[in-house]
Amino acid sequence: MILSRSLNIKALILAFLAALSIGFWGYTFGTDANLDQILPFVHKINNPALYPNDPYVDTLSTFPSFYPHIIAWMARIFPLAPLHFVLYAALKYLLLLIVFNLAQSFFSNKMTSYLACFLFAFSPLNNIFSLLGDDPLFKTALFQTPLAGVLALAAIYFFLRRRYVASFLIVGSIYYIQGLTANFLLVMFGFASWPAISEKDRKAGERLSLGLGWAAFFLLWLPWLVMYFNRPGPAPASSTQLFVSMLKAWYPGHYFPSLWGGAKWTNLAAFIGLFSIFFHKGFPHSKASTEIKLFLVAMATMWCVAFVVGELVPVPSLILLQFFRSDVFFVSLGLIFAADYIRRLIETQALREVCWGALLVFVLVEFSGPRHHGAVMILLVLWLFLNQTVYRFGLLACLALCLYNSMVHPVAFKKVALASGLLTTLFVAKGRHHMPSWFSSNLAVFLAAFVNLLPYHSLLQYRIQYKQFDNKSEIKRDWEDLGRWVKEHTPVESLFLSPPYMNGFRVYSQRSPYVEWIDAAAMHWARGYENGWVERMAQLGFWGETLGSLRYASVWHENPSLEAVGALEAYERINEDQLLKFSNRHGVDYVVTEHEKSLHFPAIYQNKSFSLYRIAPY
């Protein structure tokens, strides 16, 4: 009875955290950078008549994942939009449940486990961005990557519990959903398997179990491998130089550190430093220190390989393995170790340590400017490793930074005030100052967690009051309304010229645009696709006079964000005569413009942001 009650309480707490996390970060269905790529495949599977002769959708035959087919099958039974939300909410709960069990297997402490779930629910490192590869483990939309990420954590849990067959069967199944994540796990498990093979004191039963796990993996992986190498042959691939240049122009975040911005490097330095301290402090208390250390070595190895094959000796096939994205496991393990370190600080009941615990929660959940993670990382190093005089000077410097931030960023006053209060308490607190006896450590952990959400309560209040949970701007809503109208009022075979920088025209309209910026994603699974894509973009004036020459490789390299302005200006420069010639040559039936640009063709639909014109026959 007591065990059943405990399980019910855990289930309720995790469900509450999952629901609050969705309310906090929002949920997106429709036009989203990832859904723009996947939902047209789902529509095409269920209705093959859609998107005729669409170069992007035609790459479905080479897409190395069964995920669109799974969702398409389920969508025949349930409406797609509510199906997505139910699956997303269930997956968020499952994520927290697995994190709870992982933390328990590491530290055997329920408060650590609950705090780890809190950090997974509210840290932007798990929901909005990551450190190196940009894509976090779990985003605000449902697609193959979050599903693979949750399954990957389950595989890690079973591996660390020595249930190797279950772990490797999950890894094999992930290949059928998202192969990149499975590759990362394979490298990590390869490194972590070595002690069981090489150390003489390991039991024979453990070695046998590990061998059976690897065998089970290969049996499950082999059909995927055969399928992967027997996909329809791609178009002739572009040269390595051209391919790398296109990838740099399209999206350098996953691959090329030389093109990362200053903000990303700042985040990377601050959080690598913080997580390194969390790991250092947590290893003596963790039951899986050996395996986790090997996981970290495996990740560092993958990052080094990614740097070499991306920056020094470019190899397209290895660049596309996207090893920098394995940082999601560094963050995931780091958040669990952070939870235990924060819990141990707070359980001392010393005022200084309690405030430090709260301050660390603060930097792990803050997501809007100004950010304090760099300053807090340096301050933590001063406190732990240098003398108290230097540490107190560091506190004064951080307080001065907060005062500056309060003047420069008045909108963030609540957050800066909370940071200032914690830093002030740290400055006046001595090691001998303790919390009152009635102030239990569990209550302190709870307050340290949820007090740090108070600066963001207006966000949740806004979402509830205006029912705005999808993180979409007004122009994006108008874009989707346009798509819905097009679906109901135009023939399936129609071809549209739409602003290529908007992306996602196919999602609601279920019609083909001539080209979109997001279409270049297909170069990841259909080598050679990039050649046709760059030509279609050039036909809209995107590359200007540099088309047909490798000179534009250097142009892209010098200005990797060229697309942000270049696509807008190029599309806005097109006039009626050019549109007519374009329509005659490429069979375009309709053209979409932003509302500021008007044409002399018949306007058949308008909203606040966009106009739709019938251009053929004209």
Side-chain angles (χ1 to χ4, degrees):
M1 179 68 72
I2 295 175
L3 180 60
S4 176
R5 184 180 303 171
S6 175
L7 291 175
N8 288 337
I9 292 173
K10 181 178 79 172
L12 287 173
I13 292 174
L14 297 186
F16 172 74
L17 287 175
L20 194 60
S21 176
I22 294 173
F24 188 79
W25 294 111
Y27 164 76
T28 302
F29 176 81
T31 50
D32 165 88
N34 300 106
L35 296 180
D36 292 345
Q37 302 172 43
I38 298 300
L39 289 182
F41 290 161
V42 175
H43 296 322
K44 179 70 173 182
I45 293 166
N46 281 339
N47 185 356
L50 296 176
Y51 314 115
N53 303 314
D54 187 314
Y56 174 80
V57 180
D58 287 346
T59 66
L60 173 61
S61 60
T62 61
F63 191 65
S65 170
F66 283 111
Y67 177 83
H69 297 272
I70 296 170
I71 294 298
W73 174 78
M74 299 177 75
R76 295 168 196 160
I77 305 171
F78 306 101
L80 186 58
L83 170 68
H84 254 240
F85 178 75
V86 170
L87 291 175
Y88 180 84
L91 200 61
K92 175 79 83 166
Y93 174 83
L94 182 60
L95 168 69
L96 299 185
L97 180 62
I98 294 171
V99 168
F100 185 94
N101 289 325
L102 259 178
Q104 279 292 100
S105 69
F106 291 174
F107 300 108
S108 299
N109 186 284
K110 285 188 176 180
M111 190 52 64
T112 289
S113 301
Y114 283 123
L115 186 54
C117 291
F118 175 89
L119 293 178
F120 266 76
F122 298 105
S123 175
L125 294 170
N126 184 58
N127 296 276
I128 300 297
F129 63 87
S130 191
L131 298 178
L132 291 94
D134 284 358
D135 274 352
L137 185 79
F138 203 92
K139 300 180 83 171
T140 59
L142 177 68
F143 55 103
Q144 69 272 20
T145 301
L147 175 57
V150 173
L151 291 175
L153 290 185
I156 291 173
Y157 170 76
F158 286 120
F159 186 91
L160 296 178
R161 295 297 297 260
R162 307 289 196 272
R163 297 170 63 178
Y164 296 118
V165 173
S167 176
F168 280 100
L169 285 175
I170 293 174
V171 177
S173 68
I174 293 174
Y175 269 102
Y176 294 86
I177 298 168
Q178 211 252 26
L180 294 177
T181 302
N183 289 335
F184 307 152
L185 285 176
L186 210 58
V187 176
M188 291 164 59
F189 288 177
F191 273 71
S193 295
W194 181 246
I197 300 171
S198 61
E199 294 177 6
K200 295 181 180 180
D201 58 345
R202 293 293 180 115
K203 296 179 180 179
E206 182 181 342
R207 294 181 181 179
L208 176 61
S209 177
L210 183 60
L212 290 174
W214 279 100
F217 163 74
F218 281 111
L219 287 174
L220 188 57
W221 182 52
L222 188 58
W224 179 89
L225 206 60
V226 172
M227 176 199 73
Y228 183 82
F229 286 107
N230 283 278
R231 296 176 300 158
S238 55
S239 68
T240 295
Q241 180 185 359
L242 185 57
F243 180 81
V244 171
S245 297
M246 290 181 185
L247 208 53
K248 286 181 177 180
W250 185 70
Y251 186 74
H254 295 328
Y255 325 93
F256 305 109
S258 63
L259 298 179
W260 294 349
K264 183 170 179 175
W265 281 109
T266 301
N267 284 338
L268 181 60
F271 284 115
I272 290 285
L274 284 172
F275 285 138
S276 297
I277 293 173
F278 298 149
F279 284 122
H280 172 72
K281 293 292 184 179
F283 281 143
H285 305 274
S286 172
K287 299 177 182 178
S289 294
T290 301
E291 290 87 350
I292 293 172
K293 288 176 182 178
L294 290 169
F295 286 167
L296 296 177
V297 172
M299 284 181 258
T301 302
M302 285 188 277
W303 301 344
C304 290
V305 170
F307 177 79
V308 171
V309 302
E311 297 284 4
L312 303 181
V313 186
V315 182
S317 59
L318 296 181
I319 292 173
L320 293 179
L321 291 175
Q322 302 181 47
F323 278 145
F324 283 125
R325 290 177 63 182
S326 64
D327 69 333
V328 295
F329 299 114
F330 178 82
V331 170
S332 296
L333 296 172
L335 288 176
I336 295 174
F337 272 71
D340 188 68
Y341 180 60
I342 292 167
R343 188 266 307 169
R344 285 187 283 108
L345 283 175
I346 292 175
E347 282 188 348
T348 64
Q349 292 288 82
L351 178 60
R352 181 180 60 192
E353 278 71 9
V354 170
C355 284
W356 257 113
L359 187 61
L360 291 175
V361 174
F362 173 86
V363 297
L364 289 172
V365 302
E366 71 170 338
F367 68 92
S368 58
R371 305 287 299 280
H372 300 79
H373 50 309
V376 170
M377 185 273 291
I378 295 171
L379 189 62
L380 183 61
V381 171
L382 296 180
W383 179 51
L384 293 175
F385 303 110
L386 295 179
N387 64 63
Q388 291 301 299
T389 301
V390 177
Y391 164 63
R392 291 178 72 78
F393 273 113
L395 282 170
L396 288 174
C398 287
L399 283 168
L401 176 64
C402 287
L403 178 62
Y404 171 80
N405 286 335
S406 66
M407 294 184 292
V408 177
H409 304 277
V411 176
F413 172 77
K414 294 178 184 177
K415 189 178 78 164
V416 174
L418 177 58
S420 300
L422 291 171
L423 290 167
T424 301
T425 306
L426 285 173
F427 186 80
V428 301
K430 305 292 184 181
R432 62 180 181 274
H433 291 158
H434 283 71
M435 305 299 293
S437 58
W438 54 265
F439 197 75
S440 69
S441 58
N442 286 350
L443 176 61
V445 170
F446 174 83
L447 291 177
F450 281 95
V451 162
N452 280 294
L453 293 184
L454 291 180
Y456 311 105
H457 78 279
S458 56
L459 172 62
L460 190 58
Q461 182 181 354
Y462 169 82
R463 293 193 187 281
I464 294 173
Q465 182 177 351
Y466 295 100
K467 297 182 175 58
Q468 300 287 348
F469 289 92
D470 55 9
N471 302 315
K472 293 177 183 175
S473 62
E474 184 177 355
I475 191 172
K476 207 67 173 176
R477 296 178 193 281
D478 288 343
W479 183 244
E480 294 182 355
D481 288 341
L482 167 67
R484 293 185 185 96
W485 189 94
V486 165
K487 178 185 175 184
E488 298 298 326
H489 297 88
T490 63
V492 169
E493 66 276 8
S494 301
L495 182 61
F496 290 76
L497 186 61
S498 61
Y501 49 86
M502 283 300 302
N503 298 322
F505 183 80
R506 298 177 182 89
V507 173
Y508 281 103
S509 70
Q510 297 188 14
R511 303 292 184 266
S512 294
Y514 183 71
V515 66
E516 290 189 325
W517 180 256
I518 199 71
D519 292 355
M523 76 174 84
H524 292 78
W525 58 84
R527 283 295 303 275
Y529 176 86
E530 64 275 7
N531 295 315
W533 174 78
V534 75
E535 182 178 348
R536 288 187 293 277
M537 292 294 289
Q539 288 165 352
L540 299 180
F542 186 84
W543 313 120
E545 298 177 357
T546 56
L547 179 64
S549 167
L550 282 177
R551 287 186 302 141
Y552 65 78
S554 62
V555 172
W556 284 339
H557 182 76
E558 292 165 5
N559 187 5
S561 61
L562 181 67
E563 73 278 3
V565 177
L568 176 61
E569 291 182 347
Y571 192 77
E572 290 301 312
R573 283 196 299 265
I574 300 175
N575 58 42
E576 282 91 343
D577 290 339
Q578 292 171 319
L579 286 171
L580 283 174
K581 293 177 182 178
F582 196 91
S583 172
N584 293 331
R585 181 179 302 172
H586 301 289
V588 170
D589 302 293
Y590 302 89
V591 61
V592 180
T593 68
E594 292 200 55
H595 208 43
E596 292 80 5
K597 179 180 177 69
S598 60
L599 301 174
H600 294 98
F601 302 114
I604 58 175
Y605 174 84
Q606 288 183 324
N607 58 33
K608 291 181 180 179
S609 302
F610 299 98
S611 299
L612 175 65
Y613 299 90
R614 173 70 170 168
I615 189 173
Y618 181 70

